[in-house]
Structure formats: structure tokens, C-alpha cells
Amino acid sequence: MNHLPYIVGSYALFLAIAGGFTAAAWVRLGRARRRLAAIDPRGSR
Amino acid sequence: MDASTAFAPPAGGGRNLHRFANPGRFLRASGRVLPWLAAAGLLLTGIGLLWGLFFAPADWQQGDAVRIMYIHVPAAWLASGGYFALALASLASLVWRHPLADLAAAEIGPVGAAATALCLGTGSLWGKPMWGAWWVWDARLTSVLVLFFLYLGHIALVRAFDDPQRGARAGSILALVGVVNLPIIKFSVDWWNTLHQPATITLTGAPTMYVGMLWPLLFSALGFSFGFAALVVARMRAAVMERRIRALLSARARAEAA
């Protein structure tokens, strides 16, 4: 039995989940930082 | 109104625990730690996975399918470890009313659920070529599925109330009740006859795994742990900032109305 599709599927799943969560956290953090800097420049530090 | 009043610790004991309840202090400390956590997570995971994928030997029985282990096992450890961290944060929230513990629990939930989903997904992809089935209702798989539902329940519960405090309280109780599932997951392969293999790495005994496979697995597990911590800290930082934004905006609205 060829195992390659299952291995590729596993690593692709990892990249999708980890990459998705990292990108979402990055975007959320950047948006919050910009909004806070606009409202209260002292608080964004 | 100072935004930090949104995080004001209750009067009385537990002052040391509330030292990091100050949002400015938390943001400064986490801002220093986050790049290191993220870099360590990326580097160690990269080394572990590349090592496991290209340089570690194939298993004599499972062949190359064993390479799924370098993702599946760290994800499984993190699924349980993340839930334990969620329960600790919930305990700190319930007992000491630590404001950051609420945030930590709320932000650990989705990341832990993702780790559990990754564990279940890769387990399924590993099970098909090895067992001939994508899924079996075996004690280990079923208890991990229950863990996934506990994470989903916690995520839904903490966001189900208009008052975040009530949501945090309800989520904490669910998280603490769900801890009973962790030993069931751990010992399911010993207590019942399962298709899932028993543990090959334990805290008390020597690992029954070839060292050429063990090292990339440990690198991967360490990298996953740092990555998990980096994600939780990044999400907590965003949540702290969002809470400060809400507090500042509501203070501004009250001042304008007065």
C-alpha cells in the first residue's frame, strides 16, 4: 500500500491548522495594536 | 477612568498572584517573551518535522506511515496538556478571580481544540493505512473525541453570555469537570483492549522506541509546545488590548454623556 498520500495529508493538515491559527493571531494582534494606538498611544506600548 | 481598572484585583490576599493582572505589565512582559517563544517553536518544529520526514528511518512494520507520528504524537500530548493548562487557568479564575486567568482560559480553548482536531485528523490518516479504517470506536479515540467536544463546549460557553464574567465562571466549571477525562485518555490503552497501541514513552520507564525516531519526535514535541505557548500568548495580548479598547471607549462614552 502506498502511504505517501496519508503522509502528505497529515503534513498538509498540520500546515493548514498551524498556519491558519498563526495568521489569525497575527492579524488580530496587529488590528488590536493599531486600534489601541489610535485611541490611547500610551496604552499600546 | 483608567483602563487598568477593568483588571483591578479584588481587595485582600493573593497580591503576588495579581502582580501580572496589570495590563501594561502583562503586555510588556509578554511582548519580550513572545518573539522567543515563536522563534523556538518555529525552529524546533522545523527541525523535528524535517528530520522525521527525510532522515529518520522507516518503521519495520509500518513503513513510511510512521512519519505521521511526528505530528500526531505531539498534537496528542498538546491536546491533553493544553486542557490541563485550561483547567489550571479555570481554577485560578474560580478561586483567586485572577482577571488574566479568564483570558488565558478563553484563549487556550480554541488553540487546544485545534491541537485535538490535528490529533484526530492525523490519527485518522494514520489509522486508514494501518488498521484499514478511518475511525474505530476504541477507548483511546473515543476519549480524545470527548476531549474535543469538551474544548468546543468550553469555547461556546465562555462566549454565550452577555456578561463575560458569567461566561468565564460557567466555562471554568465545565473545564474543571472535564479534567476527569484526562486520566481516562492516558490509561485507556491499559484499562481496555484497544486497537490503539500502548504508550511507548513514559515518565518512569525507558522509551521502547529506536533513538533515531525518538530525537526528532522530542524536537517536534518541544517545538509544538513552544508554538502552542506563542499562539496563546499572542491571543492573550490581543484580548488584553481589545479589553482595554472597550474600557476606554465606554469610559469616553460615559464622559461625553455626563
Side-chain angles (χ1 to χ4, degrees):
Chain A
M1 188 178 194
N2 182 16
H3 297 159
L4 189 63
Y6 302 101
I7 299 167
V8 171
S10 296
Y11 281 72
L13 187 64
F14 163 70
L15 287 177
I17 290 178
F21 264 75
T22 304
W26 187 277
V27 168
R28 184 181 166 197
L29 194 54
R31 189 183 297 151
R33 192 178 286 142
R34 280 193 301 277
R35 273 199 80 192
L36 187 59
I39 296 170
D40 174 26
R42 184 181 60 91
S44 64
R45 282 176 291 157
Chain B
M1 176 188 159
D2 183 357
S4 64
T5 54
F7 288 84
R15 285 187 191 282
N16 284 337
L17 198 70
H18 282 87
R19 209 157 58 88
F20 287 100
N22 180 300
R25 188 174 289 163
F26 171 76
L27 287 177
R28 279 192 298 277
S30 61
R32 281 195 294 270
V33 169
L34 184 57
W36 294 101
L37 283 177
L42 201 64
L43 185 71
L44 293 171
T45 303
I47 291 172
L49 293 187
L50 288 174
W51 191 347
L53 200 54
F54 296 111
F55 303 107
D59 185 67
W60 71 280
Q61 269 184 320
Q62 302 188 25
D64 281 320
V66 77
R67 299 185 196 286
I68 297 172
M69 170 182 74
Y70 302 109
I71 294 176
H72 175 74
V73 172
W77 287 345
L78 267 187
S80 290
Y83 196 87
F84 188 67
L86 175 65
L88 284 182
S90 298
L91 188 69
S93 167
L94 274 181
V95 176
W96 294 288
R97 303 281 165 88
H98 195 289
L100 280 181
D102 284 353
L103 284 184
E107 301 306 333
I108 288 171
V111 186
T116 314
L118 182 63
C119 167
L120 289 169
T122 53
S124 192
L125 284 161
W126 198 359
K128 180 62 179 167
M130 292 300 106
W131 303 335
W134 295 103
W135 180 264
V136 286
W137 291 102
D138 126 320
R140 171 60 68 84
L141 276 70
T142 308
S143 54
V144 174
L145 185 65
V146 169
L147 181 71
F148 183 59
F149 290 146
L150 281 168
Y151 271 123
L152 293 186
H154 184 270
I155 292 167
L157 203 54
V158 294
R159 289 157 179 83
F161 295 86
D162 289 333
D163 177 9
Q165 293 285 330
R166 288 184 65 197
R169 193 83 42 83
S172 297
I173 292 166
L174 174 69
L176 289 174
V177 170
V179 166
V180 74
N181 192 39
L182 294 183
I184 294 176
I185 292 173
K186 169 83 178 95
F187 297 109
S188 57
V189 288
D190 304 320
W191 291 342
W192 294 284
N193 281 323
T194 59
L195 203 52
H196 193 284
Q197 67 178 66
T200 47
I201 299 172
T202 59
L203 289 175
T204 50
T208 56
M209 183 187 287
Y210 173 58
V211 73
M213 295 173 169
L214 182 63
W215 276 110
L217 178 62
L218 293 180
F219 267 88
S220 182
L222 209 55
F224 271 49
S225 304
F226 279 117
F228 187 97
L231 272 178
V232 170
V233 169
R235 292 173 63 98
M236 280 181 71
R237 279 174 63 78
V240 166
M241 288 183 198
E242 287 160 1
R243 198 179 271 193
R244 289 185 76 171
I245 290 166
R246 280 196 300 275
L248 285 166
L249 289 178
S250 87
R252 193 175 286 179
R254 275 199 301 276
E256 284 171 4

